[in-house]
Amino acid sequence: MLKRRYLACILLAFTAVAVISAQGYSFQNTKLRDDQRVEQLLRQLTLDEKLSLLSTNLGVPRLGIPSYGSYEGLHGLALGGPAMNNGKKTVDGKEVANDLPTTMFPQAYGLGCTWDREAVRQVGSQMADEVRYYIHRANARRKGLVLYAPNADLARDPRWGRTEESYGEDPFLTAQLTVAMVRGVQGNHPRYWKAAALMKHFLANSNEDGRDSTSSNFDERLFREYYSYPFYKGITEGGSRAFMAAYNAWNGTPMCINPCLEQVARREWGNNGIICTDGGGLRLLVEAHKAFPTLAEGSAAVIKATTGMFLDQYLPHVQEALKKGLITEADIDRAIRGNLFVMLRLGLLDGERTLNPYATMGTDSTQQPFAKEAARQLARDVTCKSIVLLKNEGLLPLRLHAVKQIAVVGPYADNIIQDWYSGTPPYQVTILNALREAGKELGFEVTYAPDNQMGRAEAMAHEADIVIYCTGNHPFGTRPDWKFCPVPSDGREANDRHSLLLPDEDVLRRLKAANPNTVLVLVSSFPYAINWSDSHLPAILHVTHCSQEQGHAVADVLLGRYNPAGRTTQTWVRDICELPPMMDYDIHHGRTYMYYRGNPLYPFGYGLSYSRFEYGQARVTKQDKKHVTIAVPVTNCGPYDGDEVVQLYATYPDSNINMPHQQLRAFERVSIAAGQTREVLLNVSRRDLTYWNVESHAFVPVPGIVRFDIGSSSADLRTFVNIKN
């Protein structure tokens, strides 16, 4: 009898295994709710598997879940780590062969200058296409489905070394472009993602010097209204379910263990996905912040804060914390639950019969996404859109009937430098190459000198009709060595800028003396105080580093093939002394266009065009409890088709609650043919006409009249309309 029962139990066990084999694991049941599937997976994980999921690994091979990691993706994929230069990459101090190719767009700062949501969305979508392509390539050194993008930090100070990674100083603009990038990366399917967009770096991470131990100090209103706003929108509107905790502290508590991670981001905003440390964050929590005496105690605190992914050596310290009872397995479950949710959204929990439409993307090896003409054209179009015409006294576009020789000079005329978080572009077109290409077609000669040694650039300038001088910053200080940044006005990760002066302005003075038709092409990751250039040169363009189509885009603008419409995303001050102390995070003390009281060199939202746009009278066409819609006619009165960036700023004349003297609350980049008028609709959410009330712990409407000023920049406002809030 006992033998029969024993055999029956064995038979039942084998039957159960057969059922599991035929039907898959319970967490693969797509008819269950997401939270149910995550719980089913948690029950089947061993402790060792749970510990492995505290890393950037998203996979459990034993359960048929393939393992994928992550990529940097601010403006193209970094497939093998940062710090590329001249065809070589340095990893851990050793030079290695170049990465696999990937489409390279302008730096994030340049993407911000487009003021174009759709362009940014398309960039994100292209990056996600390439992510999907490379997970199917055997030669990919690493394979990931989590993309560290976008950077939702705010560039409150132009001295910040990582300004290049940000969309700018304004929370509304940054939030809009953050949402666009998230949607591009993740796709538009209601259930599945192409890739997971992991935003960086939560929160108030805008000083590099001392970043591993400093505290960014400000009140709850600035937390809600300024520093966290782009992350809030990235989660609640964009759909991101992942972000990275910053190195710094907020009001004394390091971000990777800050209670706001759970209390605000998870409970209020709904981030039920990944929260990870920054690289080395655990070690710095102990060694730099001195928050805990041991790494075991530090790792326990990180996990209890629901930070469930370490970009650090963590395993022995977490194991020690478990052994000493500092954390429990339940704490680990709670921390990694968000990682499992992201895996679910990527289709990794479905098994081989996944319904994810993105799962087979990139399996066709004949369709390299970075080699498609559409990718090349997107890079060129976006780079054109990013170019800001800072000054033009009629010299541009070049009058080619009168131009027979162009002298091209400068360190970035024939050199595209990839920054710290770049990948390897499939090709690069420099400004010199593009102008030579155009010269053969249009019949002008191009001469070139990288510098003015022995006066050779001046001699060329004397002979030329036009001089194009291409200079700016080096995006990682000429060497990838950590903390190497020898030029005071350069900056990068781990190094803030200590000057806003352009070192090459003396060369510009010599060239201008030799030829008054000298154009400055400023190739830079951030603003400069170029006061002499602005006063004396007839034309100045700004473009950021890295785009594989940088040369074509600059040539298109210089030659009039493209009418520029990029806009500044920061206030360009005239003097570094106009800036508050670097560690003053209270922007009320004169930071950003919202509180700055000086006379800027170039104001926020500024950029010129080859056309002249006139604005008619604005009017309210619709308003209800949720939205206000304003219509304004805009006419292109110039000889060129072009884009205008129509901007709406709110002011609060009845307010006594310390509101900004200007707040961007709507914008649209619109194309208008020469001689045509277009009615531009600007939709303002009433949620954006609120302030954070500390007593009620909620956003409440700003009382009284709200004035909407509309125009071409924060300092060029053409029409207005008032509403009652």
Side-chain angles (χ1 to χ4, degrees):
M1 186 72 178
L2 288 173
K3 186 175 181 180
R4 287 181 183 177
R5 289 180 181 177
Y6 178 72
L7 290 173
C9 289
I10 293 175
L11 181 61
L12 285 171
F14 276 113
T15 302
V17 170
V19 169
I20 291 174
S21 299
Q23 298 180 352
Y25 298 104
S26 57
F27 63 79
Q28 294 174 341
N29 184 354
T30 57
K31 295 181 180 180
L32 296 177
R33 296 194 317 268
D34 290 348
D35 61 322
Q36 291 175 323
R37 296 180 66 191
V38 167
E39 292 305 317
Q40 289 292 327
L41 175 55
L42 267 176
R43 291 173 187 172
Q44 297 186 49
L45 294 173
T46 67
L47 177 59
D48 284 344
E49 287 168 339
K50 292 175 182 179
L51 292 176
S52 75
L53 288 168
L54 287 166
S55 71
T56 57
N57 163 61
L58 295 181
V60 187
R62 180 182 66 86
L63 299 177
I65 304 172
S67 294
Y68 294 110
S70 55
Y71 297 128
E72 296 286 350
L74 294 177
H75 53 90
L77 304 184
L79 292 164
M84 196 189 100
N85 187 26
N86 297 328
K88 297 291 183 180
K89 184 178 288 289
T90 301
V91 177
D92 297 330
K94 297 180 181 179
E95 212 171 60
V96 298
N98 244 356
D99 256 342
L100 302 169
T102 178
T103 308
M104 278 290 111
F105 298 95
Q107 290 174 299
Y109 193 72
L111 296 179
C113 291
T114 68
W115 286 61
D116 191 318
R117 301 173 184 86
E118 178 58 18
V120 172
R121 187 200 67 79
Q122 290 180 35
V123 169
S125 182
Q126 178 66 30
M127 290 194 296
D129 288 354
E130 295 179 18
V131 161
R132 284 286 174 179
Y133 173 79
Y134 274 118
I135 67 171
H136 299 294
R137 303 280 81 78
N139 62 337
R141 282 179 27 199
R142 51 195 251 206
K143 300 180 181 184
L145 283 172
V146 176
L147 202 53
Y148 295 159
N151 189 325
D153 290 316
L154 290 161
R156 66 182 176 101
D157 192 303
R159 293 170 292 183
W160 179 35
R162 297 179 82 169
T163 295
E164 65 190 31
E165 299 184 24
S166 171
Y167 295 136
E169 71 184 21
D170 180 70
F172 182 83
L173 174 65
T174 299
Q176 292 284 301
L177 299 183
T178 292
V179 168
M181 177 62 80
V182 170
R183 289 175 175 171
V185 168
Q186 297 190 170
N188 58 7
H189 194 275
R191 186 180 183 91
Y192 294 103
W193 296 337
K194 270 204 284 188
L198 187 149
M199 300 179 290
K200 304 197 304 184
H201 310 82
F202 189 81
L203 178 80
N205 175 78
S206 58
N207 65 280
E208 293 304 296
D209 297 344
R211 64 180 182 167
D212 58 3
S213 57
T214 56
S215 180
S216 305
N217 299 330
F218 48 88
D219 63 17
E220 186 181 352
R221 271 194 69 183
L222 282 177
F223 174 89
R224 297 287 185 164
E225 297 176 15
Y226 188 72
Y227 290 106
S228 77
Y229 183 83
F231 293 91
Y232 162 65
K233 289 293 184 179
I235 293 168
T236 59
E237 291 188 14
S240 170
R241 290 296 182 267
F243 65 73
M244 180 183 294
Y247 288 122
N248 57 281
W250 171 44
N251 292 350
T253 304
M255 286 310 306
C256 65
I257 60 169
N258 200 292
C260 71
L261 299 179
E262 182 178 15
Q263 294 172 5
V264 178
R266 290 206 187 278
R267 294 183 185 177
E268 291 186 31
W269 300 347
N271 180 23
N272 59 340
I274 294 170
I275 298 178
C276 69
T277 70
D278 205 338
L282 170 59
R283 177 178 55 82
L284 294 173
L285 179 66
V286 174
E287 296 178 4
H289 281 290
K290 311 292 185 185
F292 300 95
T294 68
L295 289 167
E297 290 168 282
S299 66
V302 169
I303 288 170
K304 286 184 175 181
T306 72
T307 303
M309 183 178 285
F310 290 89
L311 272 65
D312 209 337
Q313 296 296 324
Y314 70 92
L315 186 56
H317 314 302
V318 174
Q319 290 172 330
E320 182 183 349
L322 279 167
K323 185 177 181 180
K324 291 182 174 179
L326 301 175
I327 51 171
T328 65
E329 188 171 349
D331 291 323
I332 294 173
D333 289 353
R334 187 161 155 265
I336 65 169
R337 192 173 273 111
N339 304 9
L340 306 186
F341 173 78
V342 170
M343 292 160 62
L344 182 149
R345 281 302 182 94
L346 291 168
L348 302 182
L349 304 192
D350 290 3
E352 294 181 358
R353 298 180 181 179
T354 180
L355 300 175
N356 185 357
Y358 304 121
T360 58
M361 284 186 67
T363 54
D364 183 355
S365 61
T366 65
Q367 291 290 306
Q368 297 175 320
F370 51 83
K372 293 180 180 179
E373 180 57 32
R376 295 169 179 256
Q377 192 60 50
L378 177 62
R380 185 165 179 167
D381 290 346
V382 170
T383 311
C384 284
K385 289 183 174 183
S386 75
I387 294 175
V388 183
L389 181 59
L390 294 172
K391 184 180 180 183
N392 188 26
E393 293 181 340
L395 183 62
L396 300 180
L398 298 177
R399 292 167 177 79
L400 296 179
H401 65 277
V403 174
K404 300 302 179 186
Q405 184 170 313
I406 297 177
V408 181
V409 183
Y412 299 123
D414 195 31
N415 195 12
I416 295 177
I417 303 291
Q418 297 302 323
D419 66 17
W420 191 243
Y421 288 116
S422 287
T424 302
Y427 66 91
Q428 296 182 110
V429 180
T430 67
I431 296 169
L432 176 64
N433 288 340
L435 287 173
R436 281 176 171 167
E437 178 186 302
K440 291 179 181 179
E441 175 189 347
L442 300 172
F444 59 82
E445 180 187 359
V446 176
T447 58
Y448 166 64
D451 52 46
N452 193 33
Q453 288 188 26
M454 298 180 291
R456 57 183 172 179
E458 290 178 74
M460 281 173 35
H462 275 294
E463 300 298 322
D465 300 299
I466 299 290
V467 179
I468 309 296
Y469 189 63
C470 308
T471 191
N473 73 296
H474 195 291
F476 55 86
T478 72
R479 286 208 320 254
D481 306 41
W482 196 244
K483 287 188 176 293
F484 178 82
C485 209
V487 179
S489 58
D490 282 354
R492 54 167 280 186
E493 182 172 357
N495 293 83
D496 284 322
R497 304 170 72 200
H498 299 282
S499 171
L500 301 184
L501 300 179
L502 182 65
D504 290 353
E505 269 200 319
D506 277 347
V507 179
L508 277 165
R509 291 161 66 93
R510 300 288 298 180
L511 294 177
K512 173 64 164 53
N515 189 326
N517 295 325
T518 295
V519 179
L520 169 60
V521 177
L522 184 61
V523 187
S524 76
S525 310
F526 26 61
Y528 280 91
I530 46 172
N531 299 296
W532 183 90
S533 295
D534 182 70
S535 297
H536 294 88
L537 298 180
I540 304 172
L541 292 179
H542 175 259
V543 65
T544 60
H545 290 281
C546 299
S547 171
Q548 64 192 41
E549 285 285 346
Q550 182 187 97
H552 280 146
V554 170
D556 286 346
V557 170
L558 292 172
L559 301 174
R561 292 169 170 169
Y562 189 87
N563 190 351
R567 295 294 194 271
T568 58
T569 63
Q570 279 185 293
T571 303
W572 291 47
V573 298
R574 296 178 181 273
D575 194 305
I576 196 170
C577 292
E578 296 176 15
L579 298 170
M582 188 65 177
M583 289 308 299
D584 184 355
Y585 271 79
D586 187 342
I587 64 169
H588 298 105
H589 297 158
R591 286 196 194 280
T592 80
Y593 76 97
M594 294 186 289
Y595 296 101
Y596 176 70
R597 294 291 184 181
N599 177 29
L601 182 63
Y602 305 118
F604 175 81
Y606 169 83
L608 302 176
S609 169
Y610 295 151
S611 292
R612 180 173 56 86
F613 294 92
E614 290 188 355
Y615 286 62
Q617 180 59 50
R619 69 187 194 284
V620 176
T621 60
K622 181 182 178 181
Q623 60 177 316
D624 53 34
K625 293 181 179 179
K626 293 185 177 181
H627 296 92
V628 181
T629 303
I630 296 93
V632 57
V634 181
T635 303
N636 183 345
C637 299
Y640 302 94
D641 297 347
D643 290 0
E644 172 71 341
V645 180
V646 181
Q647 302 164 45
L648 180 149
Y649 295 86
T651 58
Y652 309 93
D654 296 339
S655 170
N656 60 359
I657 51 176
N658 197 23
M659 295 297 292
H661 60 252
Q662 279 183 302
Q663 275 187 309
L664 180 71
R665 282 297 173 256
F667 66 91
E668 294 293 336
R669 179 167 179 150
V670 294
S671 297
I672 307 175
Q676 298 297 307
T677 298
R678 179 169 174 178
E679 185 172 74
V680 180
L681 297 180
L682 299 163
N683 294 303
V684 181
S685 170
R686 286 196 180 270
R687 289 184 179 180
D688 291 326
L689 304 178
T690 62
Y691 74 100
W692 183 257
N693 186 292
V694 177
E695 286 73 29
S696 62
H697 200 69
F699 281 104
V700 300
V702 181
I705 296 294
V706 180
R707 173 176 168 132
F708 294 141
D709 288 292
I710 302 160
S712 190
S713 82
S714 62
D716 184 11
L717 302 169
R718 317 282 186 84
T719 183
F720 75 94
V721 65
N722 292 331
I723 68 161
K724 176 72 173 175
N725 202 18

